[in-house]
Structures are given as structure tokens and as C-alpha cells.
Amino acid sequence: MKRYHVTTFGCQMNEHDSERMKGMLRSLGYAEAARRGDADLILFNTCSIRESADSRFIAHLGEARRLKRERPERVVGVGGCWAQSLKDEVFERFPFVDVAFGPGQVHRLAEFLISDSLTAQGYFEFEGFTGHLPALRARPFQGWLQISVGCNCACAYCIVPSTRGREVSRPLAELVQEAEAMAADGVREVTLLGQNVNSYGRDLPSRAPATGPRAGGSPATRPTFAGLLAAIDAVEGIERIRYTSPHPKDMREDVIWAHAELASLCEHIHLPLQSGCSRILKAMRRTYDRQRYLDRVALIREHVPDVALTTDIIVGFPGETEEDFLQTMEVVEEVGYDGAFTFIFSPRRGTEAANTAEANVPHPVKVERMQRLVELVQRRARERALRFVGRTLEVLVEGPSRTDPDKLRGRTRHNKVVNFTGLAAPGELAQVRIESATSQTLSGEESLLARVAG
Ligand code: 5AD
Ligand code: SF4
């Protein structure tokens, strides 16, 4: 039996693509190898979001070259955003690569493997959603549901629109069916995935208005993200819904209300800020300003007071002054995020912000800003986490704790990691009394009383 090894870089979309790759390879009769050196098929699912992602991957590729030299009949495949951003250049620069394919083009990999092709092949057409392949899920009770591919935004720093193409939404009925199938398969928590999830449906045809004498001229309707959330909420067996990532410009009130109204929609919103300075936001082409972002946050907090908010922030975007940066710090202080991913700006191939040499922020300045930002993010996250101490929260158990094998690990609906003592099994929803909190994690003890009662 042939064996494969997949290494995944980048976002959850890539992790999901890798699960589908594994599902597809299983159906072709391949088994998973624990180590790259034991594999006949060496695959990389790559990311190109920042320079650091590129360089991490290139180091791994070096090992693949060595393994291929050792046994030339081995197949080396490179998929994902890095491959897409370089296209056929991949083969010129790395001649030992046999097959390269863009993000989501998992079925193309299958085509290559079945065809026994002897020449290197590249597959880089955008084809909308093509992966109706069974996923080999890392945990049977958590599943990803890809609701759209691509992105119609033009953020000046971002490579994604060029690697994943224009936005294409999947039909609502198809998504509900897939969620039902996942639930039947034991999935309790589903995460809706898209580059910009809350613009879901804008590219879909509207349902024709009802006609006939009693129709009353009802307007044509198009599926919306809020409508999709309600439809997935109605699926029996799905107890938690998450989604990532929304864009603040598309964060409509109906989605915020959905958080207040739908039982399975979690109290967590990841709302990428990128910068707290309106001038920089404009240069980034984010299409909202500081005030509009803060208004969205206020509306969210009004309807869902206990919500956890997390964000993405870039420091050192070209032209960012100390004053601009301080405005970002102010927003972080004011919003009080439960967590944030912070990034140093890095220029990406072909993006608008890659050609701004004269406006570049010196690296040491970027690093120093980053340090101040991380400190503030951590302080606010710790302060926010203290509100959970003393409360009993529902935790979806994921497995043993990474730091202490005698403990369990899981996540609250707020997406906080909890390490706790208890008896629950992976996949169960436990009631955990929270005893302490740091900026990153909570710890506590399972309420066995609730367990007996439940
Ligand atoms: N440089 C730094 N950070 C970036 N991001 C996207 N592109 C870049 C870049 N060129 C960050 C954004 C985005 C997250 C996934 O990565 O904050 O939300
Ligand atoms: Fe990386 Fe972005 Fe591609 Fe995800 S979509 S793999 S984060 S470049």
C-alpha cells in the first residue's frame, strides 16, 4: 500500500483542504505515513500570507529534495497559496517537484495521481468550489464547512485575492445538506469557512419573486449570511456554530442579532481591525474607518454583552507613523479584545503595498511597536478573562491537556481554551467551573454534579 505525508501551513481553509486531500487519498488506497521519510507521496499545502510563511516552507522543501534524491520514484506535490502565487515558476526553481496545484484544487492532485503522468504538472485555474470530497477529520466531532471560495476585497497588503480568485458562494441548500451529513457523522461543532464569510450569498442568484394573483409583489430574495446561520442552527445535532473570518464592513445587524437569537451560534466574533487609524485603514483599502469599526463593536456589545471579541492587527504598514500606531493602541485599549493575532507588515508579491519603498517603516521600529502592542493585547485579554473566574461554562472536550496529561483540554463557547480536571471524554460537552485565568487560557474543574444531573 502506498503511503502519503501531508504538511499543512497557513489558515483553517488550508487545514480543511488538507483534510479533503487525506480523504481523497484514502479513497485512492493510500495510507498516512507518520513521518515524511516513510512516504511515497510527499505533499505540502502551502501559505504565502507573510514572508515568514514562505521561508518556513522553503526549509521543509529542502528535506523533500533530499528524500526525492534518495528515492526518485517518490512523488513531491505542492499545493496551496504559495504554489498559486508562483505558478509554473515552482518547477523552474524547484525541479524536483512533480505536481503543483492551487488552493482547493485537491481533485487535480487526484487526476495527476491516477494518470501516472511522468512529466511535472501544474494546475492553477480558478474553478469555484470543486471539493465535494469526503474529509478525513482530525477530530470526529468538529468539522469545517467551506461556504465560499475567493475574495472580492482589495486590501492593499493581502495576497489572497490573487491566490484564491473571485468570491464564489456555494448554494444554501447544498450547505445545509452538508451540515446534516456532518451531524449524522457525529459532528457537534461546525466552523463555517470563507475568506470573507459575511458577504456570503451576494454572488448567488436571487430566488425569483412569487408570481400569481396572491403573491403581492414580494421582492426577490438572495441567501444571506444571517439566513445561512439560521438554517445551520436548525440542523439537529449541530450544537455549536463558529465562523471565520468576517469583514467589519459586512458585519450587518442581522448577523449580530443572530448571535443573540440562535442557540448554537457561539458568543465569539473574530473581527479583524488591521489598524485603528482611519488614514492607514484608507491606505489599506479596508473601506471602514476607526469610528465605523467602533460603532460595530458597540452594536455587538449592546446585543451580545458577554461576547468574546478577537482580532487581527498589522503593525508597520507603509506610512504608519508613531501617532497612527498610537491610535491602534487606543482602539485595542478601548475595545478590550479577548485575544488578538498581531503581525508585522511584510510586502507580498503583486500586492499594492509591496511597492512603497519610500514609505517603509524601518524593521526595528516595527519590532518595537509590535512589542508594545503585544503587551497591551495580553493585559487586556487577561483582564477580560477574569470575568469567567467563578462561572461554570460549557466546554467541548478536545482531549488531554497539552501541558499536563492528567488534565483535559477543551474550548468554551467564547473560544477560550480550558485545562481542567474531570472525567469527560473527547467530544462531550462538560460543565466546568473556572478557577483561574491567564491571557491565553482558563483552568478549572468539571462540575460532576452537573454531569450526574445531565
Ligand atoms: N503582512 C502582514 N500581515 C498580513 N496579513 C495579511 N497580509 C499581511 C501582510 N502582507 C494578516 C492580516 C490578516 C491575517 C490573516 O494576516 O492581519 O487578517
Ligand atoms: Fe495562507 Fe491566506 Fe492562503 Fe490561507 S488563504 S493559506 S492564510 S495565503
Side-chain angles (χ1 to χ4, degrees), residues 134-208:
L136 189 58
R137 279 187 282 276
R139 294 196 193 97
F141 48 88
Q142 287 172 322
W144 281 306
L145 181 55
Q146 187 178 357
I147 67 168
S148 58
V149 294
C151 181
N152 288 355
C153 297
C155 300
Y157 49 81
C158 189
I159 198 167
V160 174
S162 78
T163 61
R164 295 212 180 232
R166 303 284 297 170
E167 186 171 303
V168 181
S169 303
R170 295 175 64 195
L172 193 133
E174 188 182 302
L175 292 171
V176 172
Q177 260 175 21
E178 194 166 320
E180 284 167 351
M182 285 163 89
D185 227 22
V187 170
R188 306 184 85 174
E189 179 180 275
V190 59
T191 302
L192 310 186
L193 288 181
Q195 242 58 57
N196 178 3
V197 280
N198 51 349
S199 68
Y200 170 81
R202 300 224 177 118
D203 57 307
L204 290 175
S206 359
R207 224 173 324 123

Side-chain angles (χ1 to χ4, degrees), residues 9-14 45-50 53 80-82 103 158-160 163-164 195:
F9 301 87
C11 61
Q12 289 170 317
M13 193 74 93
N14 260 22
N45 197 4
T46 61
C47 169
S48 210
I49 193 84
R50 288 172 292 277
C81 289
W82 177 86
C158 189
I159 198 167
V160 174
T163 61
R164 295 212 180 232
Q195 242 58 57

Side-chain angles (χ1 to χ4, degrees), residues 74-299:
R74 273 194 169 116
V75 173
V76 177
V78 182
C81 289
W82 177 86
Q84 182 74 35
S85 75
L86 287 178
K87 299 205 181 135
D88 292 322
E89 222 182 288
V90 172
F91 302 113
E92 285 154 35
R93 287 176 51 183
F94 305 97
F96 56 94
V97 171
D98 299 290
V99 56
F101 48 99
Q105 307 278 297
V106 177
H107 57 295
R108 294 298 192 165
L109 170 64
E111 214 172 274
F112 175 82
L113 293 172
I114 293 166
S115 73
D116 266 336
S117 172
L118 292 176
T119 51
Q121 293 283 337
Y123 303 97
F124 303 109
E125 296 301 314
F126 295 128
E127 296 172 86
F129 184 80
T130 54
H132 296 272
L133 292 164
L136 189 58
R137 279 187 282 276
R139 294 196 193 97
F141 48 88
Q142 287 172 322
W144 281 306
L145 181 55
Q146 187 178 357
I147 67 168
S148 58
V149 294
C151 181
N152 288 355
C153 297
C155 300
Y157 49 81
C158 189
I159 198 167
V160 174
S162 78
T163 61
R164 295 212 180 232
R166 303 284 297 170
E167 186 171 303
V168 181
S169 303
R170 295 175 64 195
L172 193 133
E174 188 182 302
L175 292 171
V176 172
Q177 260 175 21
E178 194 166 320
E180 284 167 351
M182 285 163 89
D185 227 22
V187 170
R188 306 184 85 174
E189 179 180 275
V190 59
T191 302
L192 310 186
L193 288 181
Q195 242 58 57
N196 178 3
V197 280
N198 51 349
S199 68
Y200 170 81
R202 300 224 177 118
D203 57 307
L204 290 175
S206 359
R207 224 173 324 123
T211 50
R214 280 145 59 86
S218 64
T221 53
R222 192 173 257 140
T224 61
F225 184 58
L228 174 65
L229 289 172
I232 306 279
D233 179 66
V235 173
E236 195 75 32
I238 299 290
E239 295 179 66
R240 288 181 168 191
I241 305 173
R242 305 186 182 282
Y243 57 83
T244 195
S245 285
H247 193 301
K249 79 174 163 63
D250 297 314
M251 201 63 195
R252 289 175 20 179
E253 288 182 22
D254 55 357
V255 176
I256 298 173
W257 292 329
H259 276 274
E261 285 163 9
L262 303 177
S264 52
L265 187 56
C266 290
E267 295 81 5
H268 169 224
I269 300 180
H270 182 73
L271 200 63
L273 169 69
Q274 311 301 1
S275 166
C277 163
S278 294
R279 194 179 65 81
I280 295 294
L281 285 168
K282 191 158 188 210
M284 288 177 163
R285 302 199 186 277
R286 289 292 286 170
T287 72
Y288 55 84
D289 61 9
R290 170 195 176 101
Q291 198 50 50
R292 253 186 74 195
Y293 184 93
L294 289 172
D295 290 346
R296 283 294 98 171
V297 169
L299 195 69

Side-chain angles (χ1 to χ4, degrees), residues 49-50 157-158 272 274 312-314 343-348:
I49 193 84
R50 288 172 292 277
Y157 49 81
C158 189
Q274 311 301 1
D312 290 343
I313 299 168
I314 298 176
F343 307 105
I344 286 183
F345 169 77
S346 71
R348 305 284 59 211

